[in-house]
Amino acid sequence: MSAAVVLSTEDLRAVAAFAAGSAETVLGIFEADQPDDPRPRDAIDAAWAFARGGERGKALRDTAWAALKAARNAHTAAGREAARAAMAAAGAAYLHPLAKATQVKHILGAGAHAARAAELVAGELAADHLERTVRRATPLVVDVLGRYPDAPDGGGRVGELTRLLDAALRARPA
């Protein structure tokens, strides 16, 4: 059984804001691919609404699932990753208080998918995008991340980007 991690609503709101900001940076990639599909934007908007004091309820979860479905409709790999970043942003509010490495994906998933989307568009490594993501993280987000084990192995390129982001945030001076 995994140990419990203490999480406040303020912690969850900080993580959701970080995730929404991360996903927002690549929303235009999805919208260029699927200009008439509002689902990823709706997911990011829902994440921001929660971060700013809204409810953590069914509507937030539904927008996350809708953004994931939107990813399946994208014509490009970059568009799919941008939609997955939006899905992860809405899902960030559902970070569980279990000391499991897999929970790190709730904190960093939007940033990792956004970095992958940017990488696919630019045709180069996502280092610059990851660096901007690290700078966007508030001390509270870094503190919450530090309550969990390191990001898990696996997950292909997005998993690798998650681990790079995880290591960079953990190494950041307090």
Side-chain angles (χ1 to χ4, degrees), residues 6 64 118:
V6 176

Side-chain angles (χ1 to χ4, degrees), residues 61-84:
R61 194 178 301 256
D62 287 350
T63 63
W65 287 118
L68 182 59
K69 288 178 184 174
R72 295 181 193 132
N73 295 338
H75 297 299
T76 64
R80 287 188 288 278
E81 292 299 335
R84 287 183 187 119

Side-chain angles (χ1 to χ4, degrees), residues 88-109:
Y94 292 96
L95 174 64
H96 299 291
L98 302 172
K100 290 185 170 187
T102 54
Q103 290 303 306
V104 170
K105 294 185 226 175
H106 279 292
I107 303 168
L108 304 179

Side-chain angles (χ1 to χ4, degrees), residues 6-78:
V6 176
L7 291 173
S8 69
T9 301
E10 179 185 1
D11 294 336
L12 294 173
R13 291 187 195 289
V15 168
F18 172 68
S22 296
E24 206 167 49
T25 65
V26 295
L27 180 59
I29 295 170
F30 177 83
E31 290 178 335
D33 184 299
Q34 296 292 312
D36 297 326
D37 190 341
R39 293 177 292 180
R41 179 175 293 281
D42 291 346
I44 293 169
D45 288 348
W48 277 121
F50 170 72
R52 293 176 177 139
E55 294 286 319
R56 187 177 84 156
K58 185 178 181 317
L60 183 59
R61 194 178 301 256
D62 287 350
T63 63
W65 287 118
L68 182 59
K69 288 178 184 174
R72 295 181 193 132
N73 295 338
H75 297 299
T76 64

